Structure formats: C-alpha cells, structure tokens
Amino acid sequence: EPTLLPLQMVIDDQIQIACLLDDQLQGHLDNLKQVVATANQVHRAQLQAKDDEKRNHDDLLQKLRF
C-alpha cells in the first residue's frame, strides 16, 4: 500500500494541506508547524542582516559628512 504524502498549497494567505484523514494527520500538522517556524526564523535573520547592513552604511555616510 503506497504512502501518500500530504499536498501542501499556499492560496492567498492560507496554507492548505490535502492528506488522508488518518492517524498521521497530527504528524503532518506538527511537521508543517516546524517548517513554518524554521522559515520564520530564517526570514527574521535575513531581515536583521539587511537592517544591520543599512545601519552600517548610514553610519559610514554620517562619518563622511563634514
């Protein structure tokens, strides 16, 4: 019996999972929550890096003015 992987789709502002309604449903949800948490962490780190880079550039520009 083949194992069907959940089909995940992003539609507008919703994440939809199409899977069999079975004992593995909670596992699919737990996995999705972990993936979203990891994606959010990576995104926050990227935003912080961009903010830090902009702040460094602004500091350099301030030092160049006289």
Side-chain angles (χ1 to χ4, degrees), residues 2-63:
T3 301
L4 296 176
L5 297 175
L7 177 61
Q8 300 172 5
M9 300 170 286
V10 176
I11 300 174
D12 295 325
D13 61 349
Q14 298 179 356
I15 298 173
Q16 298 182 3
I17 302 176
C19 64
L20 295 176
L21 200 55
D22 59 10
D23 293 341
Q24 297 180 12
L25 186 58
Q26 186 62 52
H28 295 319
L29 178 58
D30 292 343
N31 182 52
L32 179 62
K33 287 165 56 177
Q34 182 59 47
V35 168
V36 169
T38 300
N40 285 342
Q41 183 179 9
V42 168
H43 185 64
R44 279 192 299 271
Q46 290 173 342
L47 289 176
Q48 185 64 51
K50 286 181 181 179
D51 189 49
D52 291 347
E53 182 180 6
K54 182 182 181 310
R55 187 174 297 116
N56 288 339
H57 287 162
D58 289 347
D59 288 347
L60 286 173
L61 286 174
Q62 286 297 325
K63 291 176 184 176

